[in-house]
């Protein structure tokens, strides 16, 4: 475009939208992507209807302005360098802008957003015209980042789950005297993990409700005559701690159903929990059995007892088991966020 035509454009910025024929303007208005053209000084000479929607400016506001108005300040120098390299050749050409690097646009209100840009360069009337076809991809980029985040989280959970499963299989086999015993113990422990996962799914895999964990593990033992009491406030525990607690509760319930208060109808179980505040917030859970068969101190330390004692250590907690005459008592403590 001749210099005098460009000057005339700046004088009549509130007039025609483009310094081209009306038919050409009509065609540009039908294009779904933003189209922005600049002269060889980097001043905007064309700004279609889609560009108005993408950037929030009317064409009257930007015609004759520097292209910098559409570029975040921190990228303007890089843009000038890239564009200067692009216009070195004296022939028309087209290519994607900054391939392999995320490109940002700037909205009229100052917000920045991800865009894809395809550049072309032509010579018109002896003047170099640069045209950019621009697409707002911020929604797609956000969705891709979210999918990547979810994929990474799933991979992390899978690695953790496999580590837990491998440990459970190995140690259950070590303490089982028969295939049936191994199968029953293994399936019970896996079921405890599965129930916890279901609880986590209901809470978007962020946390689980402590009472729900206990109720799911003790559900088979609630009968008309047996007395089971769950006492404590509503407390949510994070996903990693939830799996650890579920396994501990499963082992305590299994042990109680075989040898303790859950093995007879007259038995009683009270599980009480509270938050204790000292230097930090601690969850304290007390599992107290009474009314069961006479308590006998185990002759050897099996995997169940080992799991109860050690499963919380990795989360900064501990478990203390006391074989009292009245019944087994287990105290769990865990730090809370």
């Amino acid at each position: 475009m001749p210099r005098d035509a460009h000057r005339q454009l700046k004088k009549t910025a509130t007039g025609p939208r483009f310094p081209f024929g009306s038919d050409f303007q009509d065609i540009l208005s039908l294009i779904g992507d933003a189209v922005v053209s600049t002269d060889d000084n980097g001043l905007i000479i064309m700004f279609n209807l889609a560009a108005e929607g993408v950037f929030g400016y009317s064409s009257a506001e930007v015609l004759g302005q520097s292209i910098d108005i559409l570029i975040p300040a921190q990228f303007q120098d890089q843009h000038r360098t890239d564009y200067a390299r692009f216009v070195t050749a004296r022939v028309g050409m087209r290519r994607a802008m900054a391939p392999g690097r995320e490109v940002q646009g700037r909205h009229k209100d100052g917000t920045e957003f991800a865009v894809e840009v395809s550049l072309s360069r032509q010579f018109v009337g002896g003047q170099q015209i640069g045209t950019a076809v621009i697409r707002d991809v911020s929604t797609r980029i956000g969705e891709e980042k979210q999918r990547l985040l979810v994929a990474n989280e799933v991979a992390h959970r899978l690695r953790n789950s496999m580590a837990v499963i491998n440990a459970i299989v190995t140690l259950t086999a070590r303490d089982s005297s028969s295939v049936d015993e191994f199968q029953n113990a293994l399936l019970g422990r896996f079921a405890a993990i599965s129930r916890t996962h279901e609880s986590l799914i209901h809470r978007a895999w962020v946390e689980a409700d402590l009472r729900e964990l206990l109720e799911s593990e003790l559900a088979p033992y609630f009968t008309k005559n047996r007395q089971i009491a769950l006492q404590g406030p509503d407390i949510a525990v994070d996903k990693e701690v939830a799996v650890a607690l579920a396994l501990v509760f499963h082992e305590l319930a299994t042990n109680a159903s075989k040898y303790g208060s859950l093995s007879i109808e007259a038995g009683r179980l009270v599980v009480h929990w509270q938050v204790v505040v000292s230097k930090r917030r601690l969850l304290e859970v007390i599992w107290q059995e009474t009314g069961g068969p006479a308590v006998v101190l185990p002759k050897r330390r099996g995997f169940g007892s080992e799991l109860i004692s050690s499963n919380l250590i990795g989360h900064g907690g501990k478990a203390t088991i006391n074989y009292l005459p009245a019944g087994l008592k287990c105290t769990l403590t865990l730090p809370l966020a």
Side-chain angles (χ1 to χ4, degrees), residues 25-310:
Q25 296 176 37
D26 291 340
I27 293 172
L28 283 178
S29 68
L30 299 177
I31 298 176
D33 292 326
V35 180
V36 180
S37 291
T38 61
D39 64 12
D40 51 11
N41 291 316
L43 302 182
I44 299 171
I45 60 173
M46 185 171 67
F47 199 75
N48 75 338
L49 189 63
E52 294 182 349
V54 169
F55 291 99
Y57 290 100
S58 69
S59 61
E61 291 177 290
V62 298
L63 290 177
Q65 300 293 319
S66 169
I67 190 66
D68 286 352
I69 195 173
L70 307 180
I71 302 171
Q74 67 271 28
F75 298 118
Q76 290 175 4
D77 289 342
Q78 182 66 50
H79 173 268
R80 295 188 190 102
T81 299
D82 290 344
Y83 191 74
R85 187 180 300 115
F86 179 64
V87 300
T88 299
R90 302 299 294 177
V91 293
M93 63 181 298
R94 65 176 61 88
R95 69 167 174 80
M97 180 178 180
R101 189 175 76 238
E102 186 172 296
V103 181
Q104 295 286 312
R106 183 176 63 188
H107 194 269
K108 180 179 179 179
D109 65 10
T111 57
E112 299 177 10
F113 56 97
V115 296
E116 285 181 348
V117 182
S118 177
L119 293 175
S120 65
R121 187 185 69 248
Q122 298 294 334
F123 288 89
V124 179
Q127 182 177 197
Q128 187 168 243
I129 304 297
T131 299
V133 178
I134 303 163
R135 177 171 295 177
D136 181 350
V137 294
S138 54
T139 299
R140 191 192 75 197
I141 294 295
E143 291 173 349
E144 290 175 352
K145 288 181 178 178
Q146 182 63 27
R147 283 195 292 270
L148 180 60
L149 180 65
V150 170
N152 289 337
E153 178 65 14
V154 169
H156 172 70
R157 292 175 194 168
L158 182 59
R159 287 193 297 270
N160 287 349
S161 296
M162 290 305 299
V164 171
I165 288 171
N166 286 336
I168 289 175
V169 171
T170 300
L171 295 173
T172 301
R174 186 194 70 184
D175 286 336
S176 299
S177 58
S178 68
V179 173
D180 286 342
E181 182 182 351
F182 170 72
Q183 181 180 5
N184 291 335
L186 196 60
L187 290 177
R189 286 160 181 159
F190 285 169
I193 295 175
S194 177
R195 287 190 293 270
T196 304
H197 285 185
E198 289 179 5
S199 179
L200 288 168
I201 288 172
H202 292 316
R203 290 171 172 258
W205 206 273
V206 174
E207 57 187 20
D209 181 75
L210 179 62
R211 185 182 296 274
E212 288 180 8
L213 293 179
L214 283 162
E215 288 177 345
S216 65
E217 292 303 326
L218 294 171
Y221 309 110
F222 282 101
T223 65
K224 182 185 297 184
N225 298 323
R226 182 180 291 120
Q227 299 180 31
I228 298 177
L230 305 180
Q231 304 168 346
D234 292 336
I235 293 179
V237 292
D238 71 49
K239 56 183 181 291
E240 304 294 346
V241 171
V243 174
L245 280 174
L247 286 170
V248 170
F249 293 151
H250 175 73
E251 295 306 319
L252 287 169
T254 300
N255 182 73
S257 69
K258 289 181 177 180
Y259 316 110
S261 64
L262 299 183
S263 66
I264 61 175
E265 287 291 332
R268 176 174 172 77
L269 170 65
V270 176
V271 184
H272 172 78
W273 64 90
Q274 62 181 341
V275 176
V276 180
V277 180
S278 54
K279 292 183 179 179
R280 56 181 178 172
R281 296 173 69 241
L282 294 175
L283 169 63
E284 181 183 74
V285 181
I286 299 176
W287 176 289
Q288 178 68 69
E289 299 178 32
T290 57
V295 176
V296 178
L297 189 66
K299 295 180 180 180
R300 68 183 183 89
R301 184 182 178 89
F303 173 52
S305 298
E306 183 177 325
L307 186 151
I308 293 170
S309 298
S310 64

